[in-house]
Amino acid sequence: MASAPSKLYADDVSLVVVLLDTNPFFWSSSSLSFLQFLSHVLSFLNSILTLNQLNQVVVIATGYNSCDYIFDSSLDLKRSLENGRMPVMCSSLLQKLEEFSFKDEQLSKEEPEGRIKCSLLSGSLSMALCYIQRVFRSGALHPHPRVPIDSCYMGAQNSAFLQQASYITGGVHHKPQNLDGLFQYLMTIFAADLHSRSFLHLPKPVGVDFRASCFCHKNTIDMGYICSVCLSIFCKHHKKCSTCGSVFGQAQSEAASASDKKRKTPET
Amino acid sequence: MPQVKIIAKNFMDMVASLPAIKLDILYHNQFICEAILRSMPPLAKKYVLQMLYIDVPMTFKSLQEWVLADGSSKHQVAIDRLIQLRVLEVIDRKKETTYKLKPTFQTNLRKHLIYGGILSREPMPSNVVARLPTLEELDAYAHEQWECFLLQLISSGQAERSSSFSSSMMRIFQRGLLRQRDKEAPRLTESGFQFLLMDTNAQLWYIIREYISNSEEQGVDQADLIAFLLELSFHTTGEAYNLNTLADDQEAMIKDLADLGLVKLQQGRRERWFIPTKLATNLSVSLTDSSSRKQGFVVVETNFRMYAYSSSKLHCEILRLFSRVEYQLPNLIVGAITKESLYNAFENGITAEQIITFLQQNAHPRVAEKLPSVPENVTDQIRLWETDLNRVEMTPAHFYDEFSSRDIFESASDFARVHGGLLWEDAKKMQMAVKAEIHMLMREHLRGNK
C-alpha cells in the first residue's frame, strides 16, 4: 500500500527510516509484485547509503499483525563502517523479512476473523519516531529534530491519513503513476536530503483531505461524536469510549428533555 | 591584514584536472565513481541520481525546471561542478546545449547501485593474522603518527623521531608553509599558520595533494596513485590486507602512508600486511564532515583564561600562536588570551575567524554542548582587537588643486562621482581627492575640457 520514509537533518547527512508495508492482502492483488517492488526499494536504499558516508538507513516492516525492524545500516557486522555494501545488505534484509512475514502469518491464525485488512502503520510510525528520538538524544546536536514524513502511495484509493501526515510534517506525498519506474520516482522525489529540499521542485500537496476519520470504521466523516476525555471520534453514539474507557452519558436529545423538567426557564 | 588563504581544495579538484583519457580510466572503477559522487555538492548528487537512468540528452531548460528560483545559484554551482569533473557531457546543438551523463560513469554507477561493489582485495583470515590492534589502539597510533609528522614539518628539532620521508620530500611539503633565511631557524609563513589551524582532514588533503603532484616527477602515474587512495578509503578500518596484493608503486606509497598514519604496517611469520586507519577511510568524505573531528580539549572562560587538557607538543605549539601559555602541567596547558598575544597572531597573518573557529571546533566536550561553546565576550573581543588594527584604511589617490574656474571643478567632481572615484572634495577651496584608478580618465577629461 505505502512506504513512508522519515528523515533527519544535519547538513547533507540523512537518517532515513523506511516503513515498508508488507500486508499480504494488498500485495497479492497488486499489479506490481512484491519482489519487483523490493528490488526498486533495495536499490533506493543503496543509493541513499552511497550518497554520503554518514547516511543511515533503517527499515521497519509494517505487517498485518505486527511490526518489526528488519534492517539497520549502523549495526556493524564486522566492526566496519562500510557494511552497507549491497550483497551483505540484501541478504541480511531479505532474511529478516522472510522471518518477519512468517511470524506475522503465524499471529494471524490466533486472531479472530472479521478484522479490517489494514496494516499497523501507526505502530510502525511510533517505532520509527522512538528510534529517531533515541538517536538524537545520544547525539546531543538538535534537541528537537525536524522529522518530515514522506509517503509513497501505491494502490487504487487515496490515503487521507498519509496525505495529512506528510502535509503537517512538511514531507512529500506522492502516488507514482507508472509503477515500472518506481525507482526513478524514489530517486527523484524521496532521496533528497532535508537541506536540498528547500531548493528543489517537489510535488506539492493539491487538495489535502483534512477531514477526520472515525475510530470505529475508519470512514471519513464531517459530523460525529467526540469523547470529552480523550477526544476520540466516533460516527455514531457509543455507550463507552473504546480508547479510554470512559462511560458516556445519555445521548444529547434525551438529556435535554430530562433536564427540562428541573429548570425554571426551559432552554431550547 | 593580508588575506592569504591556503584553501586545501578538495582532492576532487585534483582529480578534475587530470587529462580526459585518464579520468575515463578512473571512472571504470565503481568505487571511484562512488567517491566522486560523494564529493559533489548535494544538488549535484541529486542530479546524477535523477539522470542515472535517462538515456536521452536533457536540455538546460529541463534541468532548470528541477530547481526552484531560490536555488538557481546552487543549481549553477552543481552543474559547473558536474561538467568540471567530466561527469556531465555537454552536447552543443544548434538550437540549444544539452547534457548527458558520461556513459562510463553512468554504467558503472548503475552497476554499483544495483549490485553493490566488491573490493578486489579481501581482508586476510584471522587465523593467519596475529593479534590485530583494537580500533582504539589504531586510532591512537594514527593520531600519534600524524602529530609526529606535523611536528617534524613545522620544526624538525621538536619531533621525537623522524619519519622515513626523505629530506627532499619534507622540503616539498614545507614549501609555502615555512620560510628559511640564511643562518636563521625556519619560520612559519602566514600560510603555515593557517595550515596549523585547519582541521585534520583539510591538512591531510593538503599533504596528499603535494605528495601526488610531486609523484609525477618521480615517474609514478598520478592517476594510479589517486585511484589507489580512493580505493583505500573504501577498505574496512581495522582489517588486515596482504601486502602482496599491491602493485609495486602502490607498495612504495604504502610506506609513506604509514608514516602519515593512514595505515599501520605489521608482519607475521610469513606474511606482511597493512591495516587502514580511520584517517584513510575518511578520505572520501568531504571537507565539511564532522565525524573526523577528534575530541576537543580546550576550555575558554569568560575571563579570557584558557585551559587545554592535552599533553601534545603540537597542541602547545598551536596554542602559543595566539595565546600566552602560562603553565604546562602533565595533562593540562594553562594560558590566557591577551591583546599582545593576539596582536602577535594577527601580525603573522592569522585572522580572528580562524582562531575562533579553532577554539570552537576543539572545544572540550564539557563545554561543547553549551551554546556558545566559546563565551561571546571572548569571541567579540577577539574580533574587536582585529578591527583595531584595521582602523585606517588606505586607498591610493590623487589630489587635485588649483582649478582655474568653478565650472571646471564642478564638472570634474561630477565626472569623478559618476565613475565612483570621488573620495573627498572641498568646494570652497576647489580641491578634491580622486581614486588612483581613474586618474588617467580624469586627466583626459580635464584636457578635453580645455
Side-chain angles (χ1 to χ4, degrees), chain A residues 12 43 46-47 49-51 53-54 79-80 82 85-87 183-184 187-188 192 196 198-201, chain B residues 31 34 38 42 45-46 49-50 53 65-68 71 74 112-116 132 236 238 281 285 289:
Chain A
D12 171 25
S43 306
N46 201 25
S47 316
L49 289 173
T50 306
L51 280 177
Q53 192 169 355
L54 298 175
R79 62 170 190 164
S80 76
E82 295 284 304
R85 297 289 117 207
M86 199 59 173
F183 177 67
Q184 187 70 13
M187 288 320 309
T188 314
S196 305
S198 36
F199 304 111
L200 286 170
H201 226 136
Chain B
F31 288 102
E34 183 175 343
R38 282 185 179 171
K45 290 184 199 178
K46 266 240 82 210
L49 289 178
Q50 269 173 238
Y53 278 91
E65 275 170 29
W66 285 344
V67 77
L68 297 171
K74 286 199 196 247
H112 191 74
L113 289 183
I114 313 277
Y115 302 111
L132 279 179
T236 317
T281 51
V285 175
D289 178 56

Side-chain angles (χ1 to χ4, degrees), chain B residues 46 70 154 164 181 218 233 298 300 325:
Chain B
K46 266 240 82 210
D70 288 347
I154 57 176
S164 71
R181 293 205 195 97
Q218 307 240 330
S233 66
V298 180
V300 181
V325 172

Side-chain angles (χ1 to χ4, degrees), chain B residues 68-88:
Chain B
L68 297 171
D70 288 347
S72 53
S73 58
K74 286 199 196 247
H75 173 81
Q76 202 49 51
V77 164
I79 299 278
D80 287 340
R81 187 68 174 158
L82 287 172
I83 296 177
Q84 192 187 28
L85 285 171
R86 271 180 261 257
V87 165
L88 208 59

Side-chain angles (χ1 to χ4, degrees), chain B residues 295-315:
Chain B
Q295 181 154 80
F297 57 97
V298 180
V299 179
V300 181
E301 289 186 332
T302 51
N303 57 359
F304 289 82
R305 294 194 75 83
M306 198 175 60
Y307 302 91
Y309 287 87
S310 161
S311 45
S312 141
K313 276 195 197 136
L314 186 66
H315 287 161

Side-chain angles (χ1 to χ4, degrees), chain B residues 37 55 71-72 85 89 110 135 139 146 173 181 211 287 302 304 318 380 450:
Chain B
L37 181 71
D55 290 320
S72 53
L85 285 171
E89 283 178 349
R110 277 188 204 174
L135 282 180
D139 267 350
W146 178 244
F173 290 143
R181 293 205 195 97
Y211 182 82
L287 290 174
T302 51
F304 289 82
I318 294 177
D380 285 346
K450 287 175 194 162

Side-chain angles (χ1 to χ4, degrees), chain B residues 225-426:
Chain B
L225 280 186
I226 293 175
F228 178 58
L229 272 173
L230 286 176
E231 251 197 58
L232 191 61
S233 66
F234 286 102
H235 287 50
T236 317
T237 322
E239 292 287 341
Y241 295 90
N242 205 323
L243 274 182
N244 60 12
T245 57
L246 295 175
D248 286 329
D249 49 359
Q250 291 175 341
E251 211 176 311
M253 198 186 180
I254 272 280
K255 297 207 170 63
D256 291 330
L257 293 181
D259 273 330
L260 290 174
L262 287 172
V263 299
K264 186 174 164 94
L265 292 173
Q266 274 188 332
Q267 55 190 58
R269 255 178 280 159
R270 267 173 288 176
E271 312 281 342
R272 293 179 305 151
W273 58 85
F274 69 91
I275 308 168
T277 67
K278 238 195 211 155
L279 284 181
T281 51
N282 275 335
L283 275 180
S284 73
V285 175
S286 69
L287 290 174
T288 55
D289 178 56
S290 54
S291 74
S292 61
R293 230 168 268 159
K294 36 192 192 293
Q295 181 154 80
F297 57 97
V298 180
V299 179
V300 181
E301 289 186 332
T302 51
N303 57 359
F304 289 82
R305 294 194 75 83
M306 198 175 60
Y307 302 91
Y309 287 87
S310 161
S311 45
S312 141
K313 276 195 197 136
L314 186 66
H315 287 161
C316 196
E317 285 301 308
I318 294 177
L319 291 175
R320 258 187 241 272
L321 291 177
F322 57 85
S323 68
R324 185 185 68 204
V325 172
E326 287 171 3
Y327 317 111
Q328 203 170 352
L329 300 170
N331 71 333
L332 177 65
I333 302 170
V334 180
I337 299 178
T338 65
K339 192 173 174 192
E340 293 79 24
S341 65
L342 281 176
Y343 273 12
N344 206 21
F346 296 145
E347 259 166 58
N348 281 321
I350 309 177
T351 66
E353 278 316 309
Q354 285 172 327
I355 296 175
I356 294 171
T357 318
F358 176 80
L359 289 173
Q360 285 171 338
Q361 282 179 353
N362 287 288
H364 193 273
R366 276 280 191 89
V367 285
E369 296 153 25
K370 285 195 276 179
L371 271 164
S373 46
V374 178
E376 280 166 339
N377 67 328
V378 175
T379 54
D380 285 346
Q381 191 61 59
I382 295 178
R383 290 199 187 103
L384 281 174
W385 274 328
E386 186 189 36
T387 53
D388 258 359
L389 299 172
N390 293 337
R391 265 200 296 210
V392 179
E393 187 188 306
M394 301 214 281
T395 321
H398 284 258
F399 179 68
Y400 292 86
D401 198 5
E402 294 174 24
F403 284 90
S404 35
S405 81
R406 183 155 287 274
D407 289 329
I408 299 181
F409 171 74
E410 260 157 38
S411 88
S413 100
D414 286 338
F415 180 81
R417 202 172 289 129
V418 156
H419 284 78
L422 185 66
L423 291 170
W424 169 85
E425 65 168 351
D426 186 336

Side-chain angles (χ1 to χ4, degrees), chain B residues 20-299:
Chain B
I21 320 164
K22 292 204 175 156
L23 206 56
D24 208 42
I25 303 175
L26 277 187
Y27 285 148
H28 279 294
N29 186 322
Q30 284 182 10
F31 288 102
I32 295 184
C33 293
E34 183 175 343
I36 289 190
L37 181 71
R38 282 185 179 171
S39 74
M40 295 179 194
L43 266 187
K45 290 184 199 178
K46 266 240 82 210
Y47 292 165
V48 168
L49 289 178
Q50 269 173 238
M51 292 176 73
L52 197 58
Y53 278 91
I54 299 180
D55 290 320
V56 245
M58 299 194 57
T59 61
F60 184 69
K61 255 190 234 141
S62 43
L63 281 181
Q64 252 189 334
E65 275 170 29
W66 285 344
V67 77
L68 297 171
D70 288 347
S72 53
S73 58
K74 286 199 196 247
H75 173 81
Q76 202 49 51
V77 164
I79 299 278
D80 287 340
R81 187 68 174 158
L82 287 172
I83 296 177
Q84 192 187 28
L85 285 171
R86 271 180 261 257
V87 165
L88 208 59
E89 283 178 349
V90 185
I91 307 165
D92 263 311
R93 291 234 187 90
K94 281 177 214 160
K95 280 187 211 162
E96 53 192 336
T97 43
T98 56
Y99 301 99
K100 201 164 118 59
L101 275 188
K102 190 189 194 64
T104 347
F105 187 82
Q106 197 175 19
T107 334
N108 279 304
L109 195 59
R110 277 188 204 174
K111 263 196 266 173
H112 191 74
L113 289 183
I114 313 277
Y115 302 111
I118 305 181
L119 270 181
S120 51
R121 205 168 286 127
E122 282 282 318
M124 292 169 62
S126 44
N127 53 353
V128 181
V129 174
R131 186 193 71 86
L132 279 179
T134 65
L135 282 180
E136 290 81 26
E137 285 172 11
L138 207 57
D139 267 350
Y141 166 80
H143 191 64
E144 198 193 307
Q145 289 288 93
W146 178 244
E147 266 206 22
C148 204
F149 171 76
L150 277 186
L151 266 179
Q152 201 194 356
L153 189 68
I154 57 176
S155 48
S156 1
Q158 293 248 8
E160 280 157 10
R161 59 168 186 277
S162 56
S163 60
S164 71
F165 279 113
S166 63
S167 54
S168 57
M169 204 61 226
M170 287 306 275
R171 265 201 295 276
I172 291 174
F173 290 143
Q174 288 167 338
R175 182 176 55 197
L177 298 178
L178 288 177
R179 175 179 49 222
Q180 175 155 39
R181 293 205 195 97
D182 304 320
K183 294 178 194 172
E184 263 184 26
R187 274 198 66 215
L188 278 171
T189 61
E190 285 164 12
S191 330
F193 282 118
Q194 291 174 10
F195 175 79
L196 276 186
L197 290 180
M198 291 195 293
D199 72 279
T200 314
N201 233 16
Q203 290 173 331
L204 199 56
W205 279 126
Y206 181 84
I207 296 290
I208 289 182
R209 218 185 66 223
E210 294 293 309
Y211 182 82
I212 292 192
S213 321
N214 185 50
S215 69
E216 197 81 349
E217 295 159 32
Q218 307 240 330
V220 184
D221 190 19
Q222 263 192 21
D224 283 342
L225 280 186
I226 293 175
F228 178 58
L229 272 173
L230 286 176
E231 251 197 58
L232 191 61
S233 66
F234 286 102
H235 287 50
T236 317
T237 322
E239 292 287 341
Y241 295 90
N242 205 323
L243 274 182
N244 60 12
T245 57
L246 295 175
D248 286 329
D249 49 359
Q250 291 175 341
E251 211 176 311
M253 198 186 180
I254 272 280
K255 297 207 170 63
D256 291 330
L257 293 181
D259 273 330
L260 290 174
L262 287 172
V263 299
K264 186 174 164 94
L265 292 173
Q266 274 188 332
Q267 55 190 58
R269 255 178 280 159
R270 267 173 288 176
E271 312 281 342
R272 293 179 305 151
W273 58 85
F274 69 91
I275 308 168
T277 67
K278 238 195 211 155
L279 284 181
T281 51
N282 275 335
L283 275 180
S284 73
V285 175
S286 69
L287 290 174
T288 55
D289 178 56
S290 54
S291 74
S292 61
R293 230 168 268 159
K294 36 192 192 293
Q295 181 154 80
F297 57 97
V298 180
V299 179

